[in-house]
Amino acid sequence: MAPVPTVNTPSPDTAPAVPASSVAPTPGVPETDPRTPHVVVVGGGPGGYEAALVARRLGARVTVVERHGLGGAAVLTDVVPSKTLIATAEWFTTAEQGPELGVRGEAPAGERRDLVDLEAVNARVLALADAQSRDIHSRLEREGVEIVVGEGRLDGPSRVVVGTGSGTTELDADTVLLAVGATPRTLPTAVPDGERILTWTQLYGLKEMPEKLIVVGSGVTGAEFAGAYQALGSQVVLVSSRDRVLPGEDMDAAELLEGVFRARGMTVMSRSRAASAVRTADGVAVTLVDGRVVEGSHVLIAVGGVPSTAGIGLEEAGVRLSASGHVEVDRVSRTSVPGVYAAGDCTGVLPLASVAAMQGRIAMSHALGDAVAPLKPGRVAANIFTAPEIATVGLSESTLRERGYRYVTTTLPLARNPRAKMLGMRDGFVKLFAHPDAGVVLGGVVVAPRASELIFPITLAVAHRLTVDDVADSFTVYPSLSGSVAEAARVLHGQSGEDLAG
Ligand SMILES: Cc1cc2nc3c(=O)[nH]c(=O)nc-3n(C[C@H](O)[C@H](O)[C@H](O)COP(=O)(O)OP(=O)(O)OC[C@H]3O[C@@H](n4cnc5c(N)ncnc54)[C@H](O)[C@@H]3O)c2cc1C
C-alpha cells in the first residue's frame, strides 16, 4: 500500500522557513535613509499591491509600477467585473425557484433578455471595478507607497526602467517583485474585434444582450460566463474540446454542472475544438476542426491566459521562464535570480487572486527577513461561480488517486438536506476526503448555491488538520446547509448518521 500522505508538509525543495535576509530593514532607520531597502513591485494586481502593503509594514521603501490601474486585471477586468455580472444573473436563477415556492410571475427564459438593461448592468460593473481600483490606489498612497504609472521592464536584476510616456524613470532596487499577471489568450484565426468576437475583458462594452452567445472554452472562465449569460436570457452554445466541461475539476461536480447547463437549455458541444471565428453579415460563424459551423450573434473566446512576461528583460536578467513563458518560482516566490521574486498569474502556480496575494506577501516576508511559511497549494480554497457554485479545498480526488494515497470519502446529495428542501434546491452535494486511520480531513468539495461560503468549515479543517470527529462534534444550525458538512464527517466516522441534518 502507498505511504500515508502527510498533508500540508513542505516538500524538500521548500526554502527555509526563516531566511537570513541581506536586505532586512534596520529597526528605527527612517524611509529616507539610504540603508532602508527599496522594493520595486512591477504590476499592481493582488500579487503586487498586497506585497507592497506588507513591504511597507516591514519598513521598506516601496515603489509600485503599474501600466493601467491599481487592482490589476483582478479588479478591472476579471474577478470583480465577472462576479458583479454574475450577481445580476443570480437574480434570475433565484427567481426560477419562485413558482415552486409559491411566487407567481417568473420571467420565462425566452423573455428574460428583454428584461435585462445590459447598459445599466455593465455601467454598474465598471463603476464598481473603478471604485475598487481607486480605493486600492488611495490605500497604497496612504501607506506611503510610491506609485509610478508606466510600463516596467528589468534592466538587470536590480534595476527597473519605467516607460512613462513622457520619458523613462530608472528605479534601483534591493528587491524586485514581478507581479505582471496575464492577458487573455487569443487565436490568430479568431481575432477579437470587441463587438462580436470578444475576450472576457471586452464583454462589458456590450450595449445589448447577445441573442445567441457561443462560448469557446469550457474551463472555469468559459463555464462562469456561459452560465451567467444563459441565466440572463441569452441562448448559449458552449464549445468544449474535452469530454466534459471543467476539465481538471472534481469529476462529479463537473458532470453535475454540465447536466444543469443542459437542463437549462444550454447546448454543450463536447469533444468539439474551435478552429476559427469570423464575422458574418449579422453575427459570427465559428468553424470547428471537424468542419462543422456554429452560428451565433456573438462569440466569447475563453481559452486561458498568456503570462505578461515577454519583452520586459526577464531572460536577459537571468530570470528563468518555463516553456509556457511563466516565471519559475519556488514556494517562497524566489525566481532563479537572487533578489528577484515573482507572484501571481505570471508564475502559473494557481491562477487565483487569493494565491497571487499570498505569493506576494510571502515574497516580501522572505525578502525582508520576516518569519515566513512557504505556500501550501494543498490548502488553497477555490470557487467556480456558476449556479450552483463549485467550491473545493485541499487535495482533490484525482490528486489522491494519482499519488496513490489512502483515503475514505463520502458524498451527501444536497437534496437530502432539510434546509435545501425548504429552499427548493436539488442540485448539489457535499463531498469529504479523509485519512482512513487518523481521520484527518484531507479535502472537500461543495456544490451548492453559495458554496464559496460553505467551504470555509472544511478549509479550517484542512488548514488545522482537524479530524472528521472534530468536524462532526461541532454544532451546526438546524436547519442549515452546513449541517451536511457535519453529517458527511459523521458518515466518515462510520456512523449511519440519521439525525437532524440528514
Ligand atoms: C474572468 C475571470 C474571472 C476570475 N475570477 C476569479 C475569482 O473569482 N477568484 C479568484 O481568486 N481569481 C479569479 N480569477 C483569477 C484572477 O483574476 C487572477 O488570478 C489574478 O488577477 C492574478 O493577480 P496578479 O496580481 O497576478 O495579476 P493581475 O491581476 O493580472 O495584475 C497584473 C497587473 O500588472 C500590470 N502589468 C503587467 N505588465 C506590466 C508592466 N510591464 N509594467 C507595469 N505594469 C504591468 C497589469 O496592467 C496588471 O494591472 C479570474 C480570472 C478571470 C480571467
Side-chain angles (χ1 to χ4, degrees), residues 42-48 65-69 71-74 78-79 82-83 150-152 179-182 200 221 224-225 308 312 343-345 351-354 356 385:
V42 186
V65 180
E66 168 55 56
R67 62 184 177 190
H68 290 142
D78 297 357
V79 187
S82 64
K83 264 78 265 185
E151 180 99 18
V180 290
W200 62 76
T221 300
E224 286 188 351
F225 283 116
S308 307
I312 54 168
D345 283 10
L352 289 169
S354 51
F385 290 81

Short mmCIF file of all heavy atoms in Angstrom, two decimals, residues 42-48 65-69 71-74 78-79 82-83 150-152 179-182 200 221 224-225 308 312 343-345 351-354 356 385, ligand 1:
data_model
loop_
_atom_site.label_atom_id
_atom_site.label_comp_id
_atom_site.label_asym_id
_atom_site.label_seq_id
_atom_site.Cartn_x
_atom_site.Cartn_y
_atom_site.Cartn_z
N VAL A 42 6.61 45.36 -9.82
CA VAL A 42 6.12 45.62 -11.18
C VAL A 42 4.79 44.92 -11.34
O VAL A 42 4.71 43.69 -11.36
CB VAL A 42 7.13 45.13 -12.25
CG1 VAL A 42 6.66 45.57 -13.65
CG2 VAL A 42 8.52 45.66 -11.96
N GLY A 43 3.70 45.71 -11.43
CA GLY A 43 2.36 45.15 -11.54
C GLY A 43 1.56 45.42 -10.28
O GLY A 43 2.00 45.07 -9.17
N GLY A 44 0.40 46.07 -10.43
CA GLY A 44 -0.39 46.48 -9.26
C GLY A 44 -1.64 45.68 -9.02
O GLY A 44 -2.62 46.17 -8.46
N GLY A 45 -1.65 44.39 -9.46
CA GLY A 45 -2.77 43.50 -9.16
C GLY A 45 -2.64 42.97 -7.74
O GLY A 45 -1.80 43.46 -6.96
N PRO A 46 -3.45 41.95 -7.37
CA PRO A 46 -3.38 41.43 -5.99
C PRO A 46 -2.00 40.91 -5.62
O PRO A 46 -1.57 41.05 -4.47
CB PRO A 46 -4.42 40.32 -5.97
CG PRO A 46 -4.90 40.13 -7.36
CD PRO A 46 -4.52 41.33 -8.15
N GLY A 47 -1.28 40.33 -6.58
CA GLY A 47 0.08 39.86 -6.29
C GLY A 47 0.97 41.02 -5.92
O GLY A 47 1.82 40.91 -5.03
N GLY A 48 0.79 42.16 -6.59
CA GLY A 48 1.64 43.32 -6.37
C GLY A 48 1.22 44.20 -5.21
O GLY A 48 2.02 44.54 -4.35
N VAL A 65 5.04 49.88 -9.80
CA VAL A 65 4.97 50.32 -11.20
C VAL A 65 3.76 49.64 -11.83
O VAL A 65 3.67 48.41 -11.81
CB VAL A 65 6.25 49.92 -11.97
CG1 VAL A 65 6.18 50.37 -13.42
CG2 VAL A 65 7.49 50.48 -11.27
N GLU A 66 2.84 50.42 -12.35
CA GLU A 66 1.61 49.84 -12.92
C GLU A 66 1.27 50.60 -14.21
O GLU A 66 1.23 51.83 -14.22
CB GLU A 66 0.47 49.91 -11.90
CG GLU A 66 -0.91 49.60 -12.46
CD GLU A 66 -1.04 48.24 -13.16
OE1 GLU A 66 -0.73 47.22 -12.54
OE2 GLU A 66 -1.42 48.23 -14.36
N ARG A 67 0.99 49.83 -15.27
CA ARG A 67 0.75 50.49 -16.57
C ARG A 67 -0.71 50.90 -16.76
O ARG A 67 -1.00 51.79 -17.54
CB ARG A 67 1.22 49.60 -17.71
CG ARG A 67 0.49 48.29 -17.80
CD ARG A 67 1.04 47.41 -18.88
NE ARG A 67 0.34 46.14 -18.88
CZ ARG A 67 0.70 45.09 -19.58
NH1 ARG A 67 1.76 45.14 -20.34
NH2 ARG A 67 0.01 43.97 -19.52
N HIS A 68 -1.64 50.22 -16.07
CA HIS A 68 -3.06 50.55 -16.26
C HIS A 68 -3.66 51.14 -14.99
O HIS A 68 -3.60 52.33 -14.79
CB HIS A 68 -3.84 49.32 -16.72
CG HIS A 68 -3.50 48.92 -18.12
ND1 HIS A 68 -3.40 47.61 -18.53
CD2 HIS A 68 -3.20 49.67 -19.20
CE1 HIS A 68 -3.06 47.58 -19.81
NE2 HIS A 68 -2.93 48.81 -20.24
N GLY A 69 -4.22 50.27 -14.13
CA GLY A 69 -4.84 50.78 -12.91
C GLY A 69 -4.55 49.86 -11.76
O GLY A 69 -4.37 48.64 -11.95
N GLY A 71 -5.05 47.40 -8.71
CA GLY A 71 -6.03 46.32 -8.59
C GLY A 71 -5.82 45.30 -9.69
O GLY A 71 -6.23 44.16 -9.59
N GLY A 72 -5.20 45.75 -10.79
CA GLY A 72 -4.83 44.84 -11.87
C GLY A 72 -6.03 44.28 -12.60
O GLY A 72 -7.17 44.76 -12.48
N ALA A 73 -5.75 43.23 -13.36
CA ALA A 73 -6.83 42.57 -14.10
C ALA A 73 -7.87 42.05 -13.12
O ALA A 73 -9.06 42.05 -13.42
CB ALA A 73 -6.25 41.44 -14.94
N ALA A 74 -7.43 41.61 -11.95
CA ALA A 74 -8.37 41.06 -10.96
C ALA A 74 -9.50 42.04 -10.70
O ALA A 74 -10.68 41.68 -10.70
CB ALA A 74 -7.65 40.73 -9.66
N ASP A 78 -11.29 41.14 -14.54
CA ASP A 78 -11.53 39.70 -14.34
C ASP A 78 -12.46 39.40 -13.16
O ASP A 78 -13.65 39.20 -13.35
CB ASP A 78 -10.19 38.97 -14.14
CG ASP A 78 -9.28 39.07 -15.38
OD1 ASP A 78 -9.72 39.65 -16.38
OD2 ASP A 78 -8.14 38.58 -15.31
N VAL A 79 -11.91 39.38 -11.94
CA VAL A 79 -12.69 38.89 -10.79
C VAL A 79 -13.88 39.81 -10.50
O VAL A 79 -15.04 39.37 -10.48
CB VAL A 79 -11.82 38.81 -9.52
CG1 VAL A 79 -12.59 38.14 -8.40
CG2 VAL A 79 -10.51 38.11 -9.77
N SER A 82 -16.57 40.14 -13.40
CA SER A 82 -17.32 38.91 -13.68
C SER A 82 -18.25 38.56 -12.53
O SER A 82 -19.40 38.17 -12.74
CB SER A 82 -16.37 37.74 -14.01
OG SER A 82 -15.56 37.42 -12.91
N LYS A 83 -17.78 38.75 -11.29
CA LYS A 83 -18.65 38.40 -10.15
C LYS A 83 -19.79 39.40 -9.99
O LYS A 83 -20.85 39.06 -9.47
CB LYS A 83 -17.82 38.30 -8.88
CG LYS A 83 -17.39 36.90 -8.52
CD LYS A 83 -16.24 36.35 -9.26
CE LYS A 83 -16.54 35.51 -10.45
NZ LYS A 83 -15.33 34.91 -11.04
N GLY A 150 3.28 53.48 -15.61
CA GLY A 150 4.06 53.21 -16.81
C GLY A 150 4.36 51.74 -16.95
O GLY A 150 3.97 50.93 -16.12
N GLU A 151 5.06 51.44 -18.02
CA GLU A 151 5.39 50.05 -18.35
C GLU A 151 6.79 49.75 -17.79
O GLU A 151 7.76 50.41 -18.18
CB GLU A 151 5.39 49.93 -19.88
CG GLU A 151 5.69 48.59 -20.43
CD GLU A 151 4.42 47.84 -20.81
OE1 GLU A 151 3.37 48.48 -20.97
OE2 GLU A 151 4.51 46.61 -20.93
N GLY A 152 6.88 48.79 -16.88
CA GLY A 152 8.18 48.49 -16.28
C GLY A 152 8.88 47.35 -16.99
O GLY A 152 8.24 46.43 -17.50
N ALA A 179 4.97 41.00 -10.66
CA ALA A 179 3.58 40.58 -10.46
C ALA A 179 2.78 41.09 -11.67
O ALA A 179 1.80 41.81 -11.53
CB ALA A 179 3.03 41.13 -9.15
N VAL A 180 3.25 40.69 -12.86
CA VAL A 180 2.74 41.29 -14.10
C VAL A 180 1.51 40.58 -14.65
O VAL A 180 0.95 41.02 -15.67
CB VAL A 180 3.85 41.37 -15.18
CG1 VAL A 180 4.90 42.40 -14.80
CG2 VAL A 180 4.51 40.00 -15.39
N GLY A 181 1.08 39.49 -14.03
CA GLY A 181 -0.18 38.88 -14.41
C GLY A 181 -0.18 38.27 -15.80
O GLY A 181 0.86 37.88 -16.34
N ALA A 182 -1.38 38.19 -16.37
CA ALA A 182 -1.56 37.55 -17.67
C ALA A 182 -2.65 38.27 -18.45
O ALA A 182 -3.41 39.06 -17.88
CB ALA A 182 -1.95 36.08 -17.45
N TRP A 200 -12.91 38.07 -22.61
CA TRP A 200 -13.73 38.39 -21.41
C TRP A 200 -13.54 39.84 -20.97
O TRP A 200 -14.40 40.38 -20.31
CB TRP A 200 -13.45 37.42 -20.27
CG TRP A 200 -12.05 37.41 -19.76
CD1 TRP A 200 -11.46 38.33 -18.95
CD2 TRP A 200 -11.04 36.43 -20.02
NE1 TRP A 200 -10.16 37.99 -18.68
CE2 TRP A 200 -9.87 36.82 -19.32
CE3 TRP A 200 -11.02 35.24 -20.75
CZ2 TRP A 200 -8.70 36.09 -19.37
CZ3 TRP A 200 -9.85 34.51 -20.78
CH2 TRP A 200 -8.71 34.93 -20.10
N THR A 221 -13.46 30.02 -16.60
CA THR A 221 -13.96 31.29 -17.15
C THR A 221 -15.09 31.05 -18.14
O THR A 221 -16.14 31.71 -18.08
CB THR A 221 -12.80 32.06 -17.82
OG1 THR A 221 -11.80 32.32 -16.83
CG2 THR A 221 -13.26 33.37 -18.41
N GLU A 224 -18.25 29.94 -16.26
CA GLU A 224 -18.90 31.01 -15.50
C GLU A 224 -19.69 31.94 -16.42
O GLU A 224 -20.85 32.28 -16.13
CB GLU A 224 -17.86 31.81 -14.71
CG GLU A 224 -17.32 31.07 -13.50
CD GLU A 224 -16.42 31.91 -12.60
OE1 GLU A 224 -16.05 33.05 -12.98
OE2 GLU A 224 -16.07 31.43 -11.52
N PHE A 225 -19.08 32.36 -17.53
CA PHE A 225 -19.80 33.29 -18.42
C PHE A 225 -20.95 32.59 -19.14
O PHE A 225 -22.01 33.18 -19.35
CB PHE A 225 -18.84 33.94 -19.41
CG PHE A 225 -18.03 35.05 -18.80
CD1 PHE A 225 -16.66 34.95 -18.71
CD2 PHE A 225 -18.65 36.19 -18.30
CE1 PHE A 225 -15.90 35.97 -18.14
CE2 PHE A 225 -17.91 37.21 -17.72
CZ PHE A 225 -16.53 37.10 -17.63
N SER A 308 2.24 37.85 -18.89
CA SER A 308 2.76 39.10 -19.49
C SER A 308 4.26 39.23 -19.24
O SER A 308 4.73 40.23 -18.67
CB SER A 308 2.02 40.31 -18.88
OG SER A 308 0.65 40.15 -18.99
N ILE A 312 10.16 42.15 -21.45
CA ILE A 312 10.40 43.06 -20.32
C ILE A 312 11.71 42.71 -19.60
O ILE A 312 11.86 42.93 -18.40
CB ILE A 312 9.20 43.11 -19.33
CG1 ILE A 312 8.80 41.71 -18.83
CG2 ILE A 312 8.00 43.80 -19.97
CD1 ILE A 312 7.83 41.74 -17.63
N ALA A 343 5.16 36.74 -8.28
CA ALA A 343 3.90 36.30 -7.65
C ALA A 343 2.77 36.38 -8.66
O ALA A 343 2.79 37.21 -9.57
CB ALA A 343 3.58 37.22 -6.46
N GLY A 344 1.79 35.52 -8.48
CA GLY A 344 0.54 35.64 -9.24
C GLY A 344 0.53 34.89 -10.55
O GLY A 344 1.30 33.95 -10.77
N ASP A 345 -0.36 35.34 -11.44
CA ASP A 345 -0.61 34.62 -12.69
C ASP A 345 0.63 34.51 -13.57
O ASP A 345 0.71 33.62 -14.40
CB ASP A 345 -1.72 35.32 -13.49
CG ASP A 345 -3.10 35.03 -12.93
OD1 ASP A 345 -3.19 34.44 -11.83
OD2 ASP A 345 -4.10 35.38 -13.60
N PRO A 351 -3.93 30.06 -10.90
CA PRO A 351 -4.43 31.36 -11.36
C PRO A 351 -5.61 31.87 -10.53
O PRO A 351 -6.75 31.87 -10.95
CB PRO A 351 -4.85 31.09 -12.82
CG PRO A 351 -5.21 29.65 -12.83
CD PRO A 351 -4.38 28.96 -11.78
N LEU A 352 -5.29 32.29 -9.31
CA LEU A 352 -6.32 32.79 -8.40
C LEU A 352 -5.81 34.07 -7.75
O LEU A 352 -4.63 34.15 -7.36
CB LEU A 352 -6.61 31.78 -7.30
CG LEU A 352 -7.35 30.51 -7.71
CD1 LEU A 352 -7.32 29.49 -6.57
CD2 LEU A 352 -8.79 30.83 -8.09
N ALA A 353 -6.70 35.03 -7.55
CA ALA A 353 -6.31 36.28 -6.92
C ALA A 353 -5.79 36.02 -5.50
O ALA A 353 -4.82 36.64 -5.06
CB ALA A 353 -7.51 37.22 -6.89
N SER A 354 -6.44 35.09 -4.80
CA SER A 354 -6.04 34.81 -3.42
C SER A 354 -4.62 34.23 -3.37
O SER A 354 -3.84 34.54 -2.46
CB SER A 354 -7.02 33.83 -2.78
OG SER A 354 -7.19 32.70 -3.63
N ALA A 356 -2.28 34.74 -5.72
CA ALA A 356 -1.38 35.82 -6.13
C ALA A 356 -1.02 36.67 -4.90
O ALA A 356 0.15 36.97 -4.64
CB ALA A 356 -2.04 36.69 -7.20
N PHE A 385 -17.89 30.22 -9.90
CA PHE A 385 -19.12 30.98 -9.63
C PHE A 385 -20.20 30.69 -10.67
O PHE A 385 -20.67 31.57 -11.37
CB PHE A 385 -18.80 32.46 -9.54
CG PHE A 385 -18.01 32.83 -8.32
CD1 PHE A 385 -16.64 32.65 -8.28
CD2 PHE A 385 -18.63 33.33 -7.18
CE1 PHE A 385 -15.89 32.98 -7.15
CE2 PHE A 385 -17.90 33.65 -6.04
CZ PHE A 385 -16.53 33.48 -6.03
C1 LIG B 1 -12.87 36.14 -15.95
C2 LIG B 1 -12.03 35.80 -14.77
C3 LIG B 1 -12.59 35.67 -13.52
C4 LIG B 1 -11.80 35.38 -12.42
N1 LIG B 1 -12.41 35.21 -11.20
C5 LIG B 1 -11.65 34.91 -10.12
C6 LIG B 1 -12.25 34.74 -8.84
O1 LIG B 1 -13.47 34.82 -8.71
N2 LIG B 1 -11.47 34.49 -7.77
C7 LIG B 1 -10.10 34.40 -7.90
O2 LIG B 1 -9.40 34.18 -6.88
N3 LIG B 1 -9.49 34.55 -9.10
C8 LIG B 1 -10.23 34.79 -10.21
N4 LIG B 1 -9.63 34.96 -11.42
C9 LIG B 1 -8.16 34.91 -11.50
C10 LIG B 1 -7.56 36.26 -11.09
O3 LIG B 1 -8.08 37.29 -11.90
C11 LIG B 1 -6.06 36.24 -11.23
O4 LIG B 1 -5.55 35.10 -10.59
C12 LIG B 1 -5.44 37.49 -10.61
O5 LIG B 1 -5.83 38.62 -11.34
C13 LIG B 1 -3.92 37.39 -10.60
O6 LIG B 1 -3.39 38.53 -9.99
P1 LIG B 1 -1.98 39.10 -10.45
O7 LIG B 1 -1.60 40.16 -9.47
O8 LIG B 1 -1.03 38.00 -10.70
O9 LIG B 1 -2.22 39.73 -11.90
P2 LIG B 1 -3.23 40.83 -12.46
O10 LIG B 1 -4.43 40.98 -11.64
O11 LIG B 1 -3.35 40.45 -13.90
O12 LIG B 1 -2.39 42.18 -12.35
C14 LIG B 1 -1.21 42.35 -13.07
C15 LIG B 1 -1.01 43.83 -13.28
O13 LIG B 1 0.29 44.03 -13.82
C16 LIG B 1 0.23 45.09 -14.77
N5 LIG B 1 1.38 44.93 -15.65
C17 LIG B 1 1.67 43.90 -16.48
N6 LIG B 1 2.85 44.08 -17.08
C18 LIG B 1 3.32 45.27 -16.63
C19 LIG B 1 4.49 46.01 -16.88
N7 LIG B 1 5.45 45.56 -17.70
N8 LIG B 1 4.66 47.19 -16.25
C20 LIG B 1 3.71 47.67 -15.40
N9 LIG B 1 2.57 47.01 -15.12
C21 LIG B 1 2.39 45.82 -15.73
C22 LIG B 1 -1.10 44.90 -15.45
O14 LIG B 1 -1.55 46.13 -16.02
C23 LIG B 1 -1.98 44.46 -14.29
O15 LIG B 1 -2.61 45.56 -13.69
C24 LIG B 1 -10.40 35.23 -12.56
C25 LIG B 1 -9.81 35.34 -13.82
C26 LIG B 1 -10.62 35.62 -14.92
C27 LIG B 1 -9.96 35.71 -16.27
#
